[in-house]
Amino acid sequence: MWQQYIHVEKIEDVLEVLSVEGPKARVLAGGTDLILEYRNGQRNDIDTVIDISRIPGIGRITKEGETIMLDAMVTLSDCVASELLRLNALPLVQACMSIGAPQIRNRGTVVGNLVTASPANDTIPVLVALGADIHIQSKRGSRIVEIGNFYQGVRRTVLLPDEMVTGVSFKALKENQKGVFIKHALRNAQAISLVNVCIILTAGTEKIIKKAAITLGAVAPTIIHARAAENVLIGKPLSENQIVTAKELVMDAVKPISDVRCSSAYRKAISGVLIERGLKQLQEAESGLRTGETPVLLWGKKSNPLHECGLSQEAENLHYEFAKGDDLEMVTSVNGNKYLIRTGKSKTMLDLLRDDLGLMGTKEGCAEGECGACTVYLDGAAVLSCLIPAERAHHAEITTIEGLADGEKLNSVQEAFVDNGAIQCGFCTPGFVMSATKLLEEIDNPSLEQIKIGISGNLCRCTGYYKIIKAIESAARE
Ligand SMILES: Cc1cc2nc3c(=O)[nH]c(=O)nc-3n(C[C@H](O)[C@H](O)[C@H](O)COP(=O)(O)OP(=O)(O)OC[C@H]3O[C@@H](n4cnc5c(N)ncnc54)[C@H](O)[C@@H]3O)c2cc1C
Ligand code: FES
Ligand code: FES
């Protein structure tokens, strides 16, 4: 994995390190792509990781006039939780809600999604439809790149090795604009898009369509605009005929690949279905669409706890020594116990907890963010410890399953799992209990839908989930 891990406190530090280390360094935001790429051996050429998650003040969503700006560390959960985005950029909220599961969304960022540049990534079609601008900085200066010019192919952008993205901006949707994002995947959570679409319509008087943006993901090496379909909608109110014509034009336009997830013919057919579904939703929805009930974030009572976790003063002096020396020195607090660690270099937080601290309750099921068995709380938010560098524990508060019970007294969720027989082999149980405990901390009496979202990042091979849901409902009644 990485040789040098640098915590930075200011953007200038990032630019400094990038100007020195260039192609051998990468910015780490949430790490939910980068750690997996390291694990898959795709990043052996990168020996320096620059953790920007501790820079104070770069996790904001702001609106000035008509322009919305997302900073570099705005997470997908921040977008799901944002009232400002629900009112002014609903398709982006819908896209972020569709990514991964709460533990992934708590660390994953919009900018990270953009820079990874997978054609199936879900925020990109929306930001292309919104005509977003990417704000880029290096020690040499700054520049703004229109998103349509940011991508050069699959997983390739115009970003230079010494540059970082400091934010992404776009115009808020106006009163006469409505938008929708729809994704089609093999599962409701933790599933990469087979096809995704974003449609934004601008209506004039008598609902005549003045402008249309129709973008699709996962049907070409980069996101495409369905230009012929957009043009056929303009100049008339939205009608059944037009919807059918637009559907056929999109199916003609897309040239998808076949891959392990589905065939090209299936992707083509689904592209048409999603366009038809999206246009019908916009036709029927008077004032734009609404997303469901209170979002499930697994933050607990606080608003995004991960934005309040800068390095403490004394840690500041450590961060360069901390990065370079072999005698790595890290101070962290796990379940309220302080640890000074010299061995946590270049491994995941999960390995640190199990191998170095002997806390075996947190499990490794997949080591790639798919199963939730490694769920812990980092500074109060539920995250997946297999996708987090051990060094991120430095001056952080971590809670593991061992930290939930009060001595011998199990917490109400643990009791409920036992009482409802919501356990067979028990391997997944610590992860479920961690997610469920945080859910009930956040939402006293969650609906069935909210419970399903709360545990959507956790997989169980044995119980079949009914007893797990019953246990969570009974703990909620408690
Ligand atoms: C189980 C699982 C399920 C997932 N499901 C989905 C899904 O359904 N849809 C989807 O779109 N994605 C999905 N993802 C991918 C990932 O979670 C998202 O792409 C996430 O938004 C990445 O954000 P991050 O902050 O974690 O990125 P990181 O991993 O921190 O970084 C990603 C890339 O961007 C670079 N980078 C990050 N920030 C900056 C910056 N400010 N300046 C310059 N470079 C930067 C990094 O160097 C790296 O190359 C999934 C991932 C996992 C593990
Ligand atoms: S999600 Fe971390 S081990 Fe499976
Ligand atoms: S009880 Fe065995 S994996 Fe869930």
Side-chain angles (χ1 to χ4, degrees):
M1 307 261 256
W2 50 89
Q3 297 311 312
Q4 186 177 220
Y5 190 97
I6 300 183
H7 276 293
V8 286
E9 293 274 293
K10 308 187 285 297
I11 287 194
E12 295 71 27
D13 288 351
V14 186
L15 305 183
E16 176 59 35
V17 176
L18 287 174
S19 68
V20 171
E21 305 282 350
K24 294 171 71 56
R26 288 300 289 196
V27 167
L28 181 127
T32 61
D33 280 329
L34 194 58
I35 301 299
L36 217 45
E37 289 162 4
Y38 263 112
R39 184 179 292 287
N40 299 338
Q42 295 162 290
R43 291 292 181 189
N44 295 335
D45 55 333
I46 303 290
D47 61 23
T48 298
V49 164
I50 311 161
D51 182 343
I52 64 170
S53 67
R54 318 300 284 268
I55 299 178
I58 65 165
R60 296 161 308 162
I61 300 171
T62 50
K63 181 167 182 282
E64 266 184 44
E66 291 308 303
T67 302
I68 292 176
M69 171 67 91
L70 307 184
D71 289 346
M73 272 308 298
V74 166
T75 64
L76 303 162
S77 285
D78 286 325
C79 296
V80 169
S82 166
E83 200 46 34
L84 187 151
L85 290 182
R86 276 168 195 258
L87 294 172
N88 297 288
L90 183 68
L92 183 60
V93 175
Q94 292 172 321
C96 292
M97 281 174 90
S98 79
I99 295 179
Q103 297 97 317
I104 294 271
R105 295 193 286 268
N106 283 344
R107 287 274 297 170
T109 58
V110 172
V111 167
N113 198 243
L114 289 174
V115 175
T116 292
S118 156
N121 274 4
D122 292 306
T123 67
I124 307 177
V126 176
L127 291 165
V128 170
L130 287 167
D133 284 327
I134 314 283
H135 297 250
I136 296 169
Q137 267 192 22
S138 72
K139 267 193 88 173
R140 295 172 291 109
S142 57
R143 60 183 177 135
I144 295 177
V145 175
E146 203 277 321
I147 194 166
N149 303 322
F150 186 64
Y151 293 101
Q152 293 181 311
V154 177
R155 294 182 177 264
R156 281 186 308 116
T157 73
V158 298
L159 211 54
L160 298 172
D162 69 340
E163 291 182 318
M164 88 170 270
V165 173
T166 53
V168 55
S169 64
F170 52 86
K171 292 282 179 243
L173 291 180
K174 295 190 180 64
E175 279 298 308
N176 67 336
Q177 289 183 298
K178 285 189 289 188
V180 67
F181 168 85
I182 306 181
K183 166 179 186 170
H184 183 70
L186 298 177
R187 290 177 55 207
N188 287 336
Q190 297 284 50
I192 302 291
S193 281
L194 299 182
V195 180
N196 56 32
V197 300
C198 180
I199 305 172
I200 295 178
L201 300 180
T202 307
T205 49
E206 277 114 64
K207 295 192 185 176
I208 292 179
I209 304 295
K210 282 185 3 186
K211 242 175 92 193
I214 299 179
T215 54
L216 292 105
V219 294
T222 58
I223 306 306
I224 64 162
H225 262 285
R227 295 290 182 206
E230 291 170 351
N231 294 335
V232 85
L233 298 178
I234 293 171
K236 316 173 213 52
L238 198 50
S239 68
E240 279 311 306
N241 281 350
Q242 278 180 299
I243 291 176
V244 171
T245 314
K247 170 180 177 178
E248 281 153 12
L249 286 167
V250 164
M251 289 170 71
D252 285 347
V254 295
K255 307 261 179 299
I257 57 165
S258 296
D259 66 9
V260 66
R261 293 192 190 99
C262 70
S263 70
S264 133
Y266 181 77
R267 273 199 172 91
K268 216 178 223 316
I270 287 294
S271 304
V273 168
L274 298 190
I275 293 295
E276 184 173 22
R277 197 177 295 168
L279 287 172
K280 283 200 170 144
Q281 280 186 20
L282 292 176
Q283 191 183 39
E284 285 145 23
E286 267 315 301
S287 60
L289 304 162
R290 299 299 304 156
T291 48
E293 35 193 358
T294 319
V296 174
L297 303 161
L298 299 192
W299 287 348
K301 286 287 175 238
K302 295 191 198 171
S303 80
N304 198 340
L306 287 171
H307 287 323
E308 297 148 21
C309 52
L311 283 168
S312 65
Q313 196 45 45
E314 95 230 40
E316 213 192 296
N317 318 326
L318 269 176
H319 71 284
Y320 275 105
E321 293 68 55
F322 169 86
K324 290 198 175 70
D326 280 337
D327 56 342
L328 171 81
E329 196 165 90
M330 186 175 13
V331 282
T332 187
S333 162
V334 183
N335 302 328
N337 304 315
K338 277 250 185 269
Y339 292 85
L340 176 69
I341 305 168
R342 286 200 174 83
T343 57
K345 200 173 168 67
S346 197
K347 59 172 68 171
T348 65
M349 188 177 281
L350 174 61
D351 293 340
L352 178 79
L353 293 169
R354 290 179 60 87
D355 305 346
D356 300 75
L357 305 188
L359 295 167
M360 309 305 269
T362 307
K363 304 294 183 203
E364 174 172 311
C366 68
E368 50 182 45
E370 296 282 356
C371 75
C374 66
T375 300
V376 298
Y377 305 152
L378 174 62
D379 296 320
V383 295
L384 300 173
S385 56
C386 70
L387 291 181
I388 300 180
E391 293 90 335
R392 178 59 183 77
H394 189 42
H395 281 279
E397 283 287 336
I398 298 168
T399 306
T400 68
I401 186 71
E402 290 90 345
L404 289 197
D406 179 5
E408 292 300 307
K409 185 166 174 354
L410 296 179
N411 84 356
S412 59
V413 172
Q414 288 168 310
E415 292 276 8
F417 267 66
V418 173
D419 297 348
N420 288 277
I423 301 163
Q424 282 198 29
C425 77
F427 189 82
C428 69
T429 307
F432 272 98
V433 169
M434 293 295 279
S435 298
T437 298
K438 191 54 71 174
L439 173 70
L440 297 186
E441 214 184 284
E442 185 169 291
I443 303 174
D444 291 344
N445 226 338
S447 65
L448 176 59
E449 188 50 31
Q450 287 170 322
I451 291 175
K452 286 183 177 175
I453 296 172
I455 58 173
S456 58
N458 298 82
L459 288 180
C460 173
R461 243 181 5 135
C462 313
T463 59
Y465 299 98
Y466 289 104
K467 291 190 174 176
I468 289 175
I469 290 177
K470 222 167 125 244
I472 297 171
E473 286 171 335
S474 89
R477 280 194 297 277
E478 276 290 297

